[in-house]
Amino acid sequence: YHQLPSHDINYISVAGALGLIGDSGKPVIPLNLLGDFGGGIIACVGILAALIARARTGEGQYIDVAMTDSVASLMVTYISGHLLTGMIPRPGGVRRYGGDPFYNVYQTKDGKYIGLGCREPQFIRNLCRALGREDLGATPTTPGERLDQVFSYFRDTFLTRTRDEWFDLLSRQEISVSKVNTLDEVITDPQMLHRGMVVAVEHPEIGTVKQIGIPIKLSATPGGVNTLGIVPGQSTDEILATLGYSTEAIATLRRTGVVT
């Protein structure tokens, strides 16, 4: 496919991820760019591994990373399962992606959503106890009609209270639960603020600008957002000058629209 134009949707299609996302019918395009970001993460791991090898051998090497390969590596659980059993999972049939009532998302009374991540038996039991139906957690892995009954009860029950009311209730009872935040709620969430994931940076012209913080917390050499991103063309003159272009040549390139 080296001559085939492509973007993230194409990488995740080839690697099998897109075909498994969604409940049934038409696949749902994920909000996150799995191929783009996943490929970057895998490339970073490769670069770090090559740096360690260089420190030991004194030699560099070529690193070949493809975004489709990276998505396939992120699909290891399901591809390995297929290779082992021959079973082909379908959208909505993957327990962790819509097929499990205890690991799912439910709408609440106020139109918002609550997220459940109860996979371990103790969390499932605590959830069912909190919802007044301990019997539903007795055999949580039973397929078919049993799971349909659990789904139905959960959908109806979560519609009886608001999202925040459910979170306040369930979060105190050792249950894997979370609010499904909108973006305005993300930047005010106490966990996000506590972890420094929303920071303020001063801009010389427009004042204080909020940014996403640094996700990697290093004790000895912590990172920080020190400057804001540059605007397109801001460094054109500087870059061309380092490449040997004169002031007059750069002005000509700008005037003729070759660069901006």
Side-chain angles (χ1 to χ4, degrees), residues 15-195:
L18 182 61
L20 280 180
I21 301 175
D23 290 333
S24 60
K26 179 182 176 181
V28 176
I29 301 173
L31 184 62
N32 201 334
L33 300 175
L34 300 180
D36 291 346
F37 293 157
I41 293 171
I42 298 298
C44 180
V45 174
I47 292 169
L48 295 174
L51 287 172
I52 293 175
R54 188 192 65 179
R56 294 177 177 176
T57 67
E59 297 182 356
Q61 58 187 297
Y62 178 78
I63 303 169
D64 182 355
V65 173
M67 284 183 275
T68 300
D69 296 352
S70 301
V71 177
S73 71
L74 297 176
M75 293 284 291
V76 59
T77 299
Y78 306 104
I79 295 177
S80 296
H82 168 66
L83 293 173
L84 181 64
T85 67
M87 296 292 292
I88 302 176
R90 303 295 181 188
V94 179
R95 291 296 296 271
R96 199 175 296 184
Y97 292 97
D100 187 343
F102 303 99
Y103 194 99
N104 222 301
V105 175
Y106 295 94
Q107 189 173 26
T108 55
K109 185 178 180 179
D110 53 352
K112 297 184 179 182
Y113 292 88
I114 197 82
L116 301 177
C118 299
R119 294 184 57 80
E120 294 77 10
Q122 67 270 29
F123 299 148
I124 291 174
R125 288 193 296 268
N126 292 345
L127 172 64
C128 293
R129 184 181 303 115
L131 298 182
R133 285 292 303 272
E134 289 190 62
D135 59 299
L136 295 180
T139 53
T141 58
T142 303
E145 184 178 351
R146 173 75 172 179
L147 289 183
D148 291 340
Q149 293 175 357
V150 179
F151 267 122
S152 179
Y153 181 77
F154 281 9
R155 291 189 188 105
D156 292 342
T157 300
F158 279 108
L159 286 172
T160 63
R161 302 189 188 200
T162 68
R163 181 199 64 181
D164 291 358
E165 288 173 340
W166 279 119
F167 182 76
D168 291 341
L169 172 65
L170 301 180
S171 62
R172 296 195 299 266
Q173 302 188 52
E174 198 175 357
I175 294 169
S176 181
V177 62
S178 57
K179 301 176 186 178
V180 179
N181 284 334
T182 54
L183 290 187
D184 58 318
E185 293 171 327
V186 170
I187 61 174
T188 57
D189 187 282
Q191 173 70 13
M192 299 292 288
L193 296 177
H194 174 72
R195 292 286 294 169

